[in-house]
Amino acid sequence: MEKIKIAVIGLGYVGLPLARLFSTKYKTIGFDVNAARVKALMEGHDSTLEVEDNLLQSALAKGFVCSSNIEDIRDCNFYVVAVPTPVDKNNRPDLTPLIKASETVGMVISKGDIVVYESTVYPGATEEDCLPVVERVSGLKFNEDFYAGYSPERINPGDKEHTVEKIKKVTSGSTPEIGKIVNEVYSSVITAGTHLAPSIKVAEAAKVIENSQRDINIAFVNELAKIFNLMGIDTQAVLEAAGTKWNFLPFKPGLVGGHCIGVDPYYLAQKAQEYGYNPEIILAGRRMNDSMGKYIATEVVKLMIKKQIPIKGTKALMLGITFKENCPDIRNTKAIDIYRELHEYDMEVDVYDPWAKPEEVMREYGISTLTNYPITNKYGAIILAVAHIEFLQINMKELIDNGCVIYDVKGIIDKELTSHRL
């Protein structure tokens, strides 16, 4: 254990917090192909805001290093892969980042080394898709010359309470002995403890169903919201009443995006289909949640018509573009679906989000965002798409008095101050 030297490949929302944590116990190098990202981290700032600057700077002062030079990780012996696993435009799993990271590992791994994958995948991906790449590039034999493990990430972006060390970690290894080593390494820094799964495939499956379960439960309450809206019943009030029962699960309706819940079910679905099984509930949940942006936009238009507010040419303001509250991550945000659908009605839409970086929004979605909250009453509709804490300070009563339609997607402001809440 004393001789472990760790390289964490991928320094995003998952990799950086983990690398910083490992550095408290082991010699650790964080590796990322994005040189600009590495430079910013070495200067002591994390743009994702997952690691506070004082923690990062303290780690750097104690020897933690970030690099984009592959030679810097060649003498490591415990490699951790923490890169994104997105889907393509047809919602098919895209393993490109994982394959490239595996090639990187293959270039530097030596006999006796261990590589652990953290990226969310379908059961079998580590052993069937990733490790053959490491073998091919390295010329080494899996489970003879080098070994592997899988320990799924459980990072919740923007959550300052459930940080990486406070979330129980599932671990696994390619052999029982390696499983114990992997588990020991993680348990030495994870204060919440670990759970050693019997195999890599079990650990992979456990991770992918965590997010699929949440996706299905949110889809259920989204469907309830649509039903209760037709019946003129306040969904939030219904959930509050039902929540008084001890075993009622506290899910709320809303947009389901991001790089986990909005993506992972597709990984499980594809693998199921390869085995000849059509996963009806999983895909039905995805269809429901993917439909919510268009549904919200349509409801906003209906409210405007009822108030005799012109649709074509009227300006709308969308508050929030990130995939969740109090987090700068815009990847796979479903707020963009509201924006695009309103444009289909020939409405002009301004976007204001104090958490999102304007240059990233422009690069990802081609949208120029406002840099400050607009002090104006020129909007016919305001959609509160993301529950950033800053939006609680907005004077909604003043906006309602001016005849503006306000649609509260997240149900964070008083019902009396909105035209409708999901």
Side-chain angles (χ1 to χ4, degrees):
M1 293 286 288
E2 297 81 17
K3 297 180 181 179
I4 293 285
K5 184 175 181 181
I6 298 174
V8 177
I9 298 170
L11 297 176
Y13 286 83
V14 173
L16 180 65
L18 184 66
R20 198 283 311 172
L21 181 62
F22 274 139
S23 75
T24 63
K25 206 90 170 203
Y26 307 99
K27 176 69 176 176
T28 304
I29 299 176
F31 176 83
D32 200 289
V33 294
N34 186 337
R37 167 75 170 158
V38 168
K39 181 176 183 293
L41 292 175
M42 288 300 291
E43 291 172 352
H45 176 65
D46 171 26
S47 61
T48 70
L49 307 181
E50 286 303 301
V51 176
E52 296 175 1
D53 287 357
N54 64 324
L55 277 179
L56 177 58
Q57 290 161 15
S58 175
L60 293 170
K62 294 175 182 176
F64 175 50
V65 175
C66 299
S67 175
S68 56
N69 183 355
I70 192 171
E71 293 304 316
D72 289 338
I73 62 172
R74 187 173 293 279
D75 63 342
C76 294
N77 53 24
F78 193 95
Y79 296 91
V80 179
V81 175
V83 296
T85 44
V87 292
D88 63 19
K89 63 181 181 179
N90 297 313
N91 292 321
R92 291 177 302 207
D94 179 5
L95 297 181
T96 302
L98 210 49
I99 298 304
K100 289 184 178 299
S102 298
E103 290 173 344
T104 297
V105 172
M107 294 176 193
V108 295
I109 199 167
S110 301
K111 283 192 175 184
D113 291 354
I114 298 172
V115 54
V116 179
Y117 289 84
E118 289 229 353
S119 307
T120 303
V121 290
Y122 46 73
T126 299
E127 292 158 297
E128 297 165 13
D129 298 295
C130 300
L131 295 176
V133 175
V134 178
E135 282 188 312
R136 173 176 55 80
V137 175
S138 68
L140 301 177
K141 186 71 175 174
F142 170 52
N143 266 353
E144 290 182 16
D145 299 320
F146 74 95
Y147 304 89
Y150 183 80
S151 181
E153 61 88 6
R154 282 177 165 172
I155 292 290
N156 185 26
D159 189 338
K160 300 308 178 186
E161 180 181 353
H162 302 97
T163 50
V164 59
E165 69 274 16
K166 297 177 183 177
I167 304 172
K168 193 163 188 173
K169 204 84 163 65
V170 173
T171 61
S172 64
S174 54
T175 70
E177 295 74 22
I178 294 300
K180 290 178 182 178
I181 294 174
V182 170
N183 191 65
E184 286 177 13
V185 171
Y186 277 94
S187 64
S188 69
V189 294
I190 302 293
T191 56
T194 59
H195 173 88
L196 178 56
S199 71
I200 286 176
K201 284 188 175 69
V202 167
E204 290 170 324
K207 171 56 182 176
V208 80
I209 71 165
E210 288 175 20
N211 287 336
S212 297
Q213 182 188 67
R214 285 189 57 79
D215 193 44
I216 291 165
N217 277 288
I218 297 171
F220 172 61
V221 292
N222 274 336
E223 186 164 64
L224 292 180
K226 290 184 177 183
I227 294 170
F228 292 146
N229 182 49
L230 291 171
M231 300 172 70
I233 300 173
D234 182 0
T235 303
Q236 300 289 343
V238 172
L239 294 175
E240 183 179 344
T244 59
K245 189 180 180 185
W246 81 94
N247 61 351
F248 185 82
L249 301 178
F251 288 94
K252 293 185 177 182
L255 301 170
V256 186
H259 223 60
C260 291
I261 301 177
V263 171
D264 298 349
Y266 288 121
Y267 276 74
L268 183 56
Q270 170 163 308
K271 199 62 177 179
Q273 289 166 339
E274 288 179 10
Y275 281 81
Y277 183 83
N278 185 45
E280 297 180 15
I281 294 176
I282 293 171
L283 292 178
R286 278 284 77 231
R287 286 193 297 272
M288 172 58 66
N289 288 336
D290 281 345
S291 75
M292 294 308 292
K294 182 175 182 178
Y295 172 78
I296 290 164
T298 302
E299 291 300 299
V300 169
V301 170
K302 288 179 181 177
L303 290 169
M304 292 175 68
I305 291 172
K306 288 179 181 178
K307 281 198 170 187
Q308 298 184 331
I309 300 173
I311 306 301
K312 188 173 183 177
T314 293
K315 296 201 76 170
L317 173 64
M318 190 170 80
L319 296 174
I321 189 69
T322 62
F323 92 91
K324 67 177 290 187
E325 65 274 9
N326 307 322
C327 170
D329 195 350
I330 62 169
R331 295 174 301 171
N332 194 37
T333 176
K334 293 304 176 181
I336 192 65
D337 294 345
I338 301 175
Y339 177 93
R340 289 169 175 164
E341 189 65 19
L342 290 176
H343 264 278
E344 290 294 311
Y345 287 96
D346 289 331
M347 292 178 64
E348 297 180 48
V349 184
D350 286 343
V351 176
Y352 172 64
D353 192 317
W355 286 81
K357 294 178 177 60
E359 62 274 15
E360 289 186 5
V361 179
M362 174 58 72
R363 183 171 61 250
E364 188 75 17
Y365 301 110
I367 296 173
S368 179
T369 58
L370 303 175
T371 54
N372 294 294
Y373 179 74
I375 311 301
T376 178
N377 296 321
K378 63 184 178 181
Y379 298 106
I382 294 181
I383 302 95
L384 186 64
V386 186
H388 292 319
I389 192 170
E390 290 86 348
F391 297 156
L392 294 173
Q393 311 304 317
I394 297 172
N395 188 342
M396 294 294 175
K397 187 177 187 308
E398 180 183 84
L399 295 169
I400 281 187
D401 290 343
N402 286 312
C404 178
V405 165
I406 299 178
Y407 195 102
D408 182 7
V409 174
K410 297 293 290 184
I412 64 168
I413 56 179
D414 292 341
K415 183 185 177 183
E416 293 73 22
L417 299 179
T418 64
S419 305
H420 190 79
R421 59 184 186 180
L422 185 60

